[in-house]
Amino acid sequence: MDPKLIGAFGLLCLCSISSSIAASMGGGEETPAPTAAGADAGAGADAGADAGADAGADAGADGDDTFHASTLPDFMDATILNSGSSLARGEKWQPPNKSYDMILQGDNNLCINEPGRARACLMSHQVGGTATATFQNDGNMCVYGQPGVKCHMSHDSNVPSGQHRLILHNNGDVYVDHGTGEANRSVIYDHP
């Protein structure tokens, strides 16, 4: 074999080995800074991992309203509910301007109401018993009674459990933000 070719091959191997060693000593590839709310969780080794787990949990509280690939509305423009939030019969959620509410009525029907009129209902009045409405970790809004259950199917199985947020916007829209961008929202009620 030609000695020049052997020398070039050796230099190539040496460069490859050197860059691998340098990358491992320097911590590997550079990772972009997390963009999720709570990304400033500290300088600890797991700060970036924790940021993704509770992204959006305190959106708006510290001025950072980025939620994975979505931007959550400001807390003055919308009520933002984390998965696991629930309503008992007679309880309601409202946007900050209180122009409408989402209420679990006494008949177990989960409705979005404007003052004086119902805008939309889940038709969950047949679940029986004393029901509870829950915004589940999978992104579905469900009413659980005895023995039945009725859900608004707003889940996104490509999204990690607990990442979803229920948004009650001042403009009248009610939707589930999965943190995957505006085009991938699950609309519960789209105000005309």
Side-chain angles (χ1 to χ4, degrees):
M1 186 174 234
D2 186 305
K4 291 180 190 175
L5 197 56
I6 293 172
F9 181 77
L11 183 59
L12 178 63
C13 289
L14 179 61
C15 288
S16 290
I17 292 169
S18 297
S19 65
S20 296
I21 291 170
S24 66
M25 289 176 61
E29 295 179 7
E30 183 178 335
T31 47
T35 59
D40 59 345
D46 61 344
D50 289 345
D54 48 272
D58 60 349
D62 61 359
D64 182 7
D65 60 358
T66 306
F67 173 57
H68 297 276
S70 295
T71 300
L72 292 171
D74 185 81
F75 71 95
M76 297 294 290
D77 295 326
T79 297
I80 302 170
L81 298 160
N82 294 326
S83 57
S85 299
S86 63
L87 291 171
R89 279 172 49 176
E91 292 182 334
K92 62 185 173 184
W93 293 319
Q94 296 178 312
N97 68 1
K98 300 184 185 329
S99 59
Y100 65 93
D101 55 46
M102 179 181 274
I103 185 169
L104 182 59
Q105 299 176 161
D107 65 354
N108 294 337
N109 207 356
L110 181 65
C111 294
I112 298 169
N113 296 323
E114 288 180 355
R117 73 181 185 100
R119 291 175 16 188
C121 292
L122 182 59
M123 305 309 288
S124 54
H125 58 281
Q126 297 175 349
V127 298
T130 302
T132 304
T134 302
F135 178 52
Q136 299 182 155
N137 286 339
D138 65 2
N140 284 336
M141 186 70 208
C142 295
V143 177
Y144 290 92
Q146 296 294 328
V149 62
K150 175 82 175 184
C151 293
H152 181 278
M153 301 306 284
S154 49
H155 70 281
D156 183 337
S157 58
N158 296 318
V159 175
S161 179
Q163 177 174 302
H164 317 273
R165 299 293 178 265
L166 178 63
I167 311 294
L168 283 77
H169 202 281
N170 281 343
N171 68 8
D173 293 345
V174 180
Y175 60 91
V176 176
D177 193 317
H178 304 289
T180 55
E182 186 173 332
N184 296 325
R185 294 176 177 169
S186 295
V187 175
I188 292 177
Y189 181 80
D190 194 7
H191 192 264

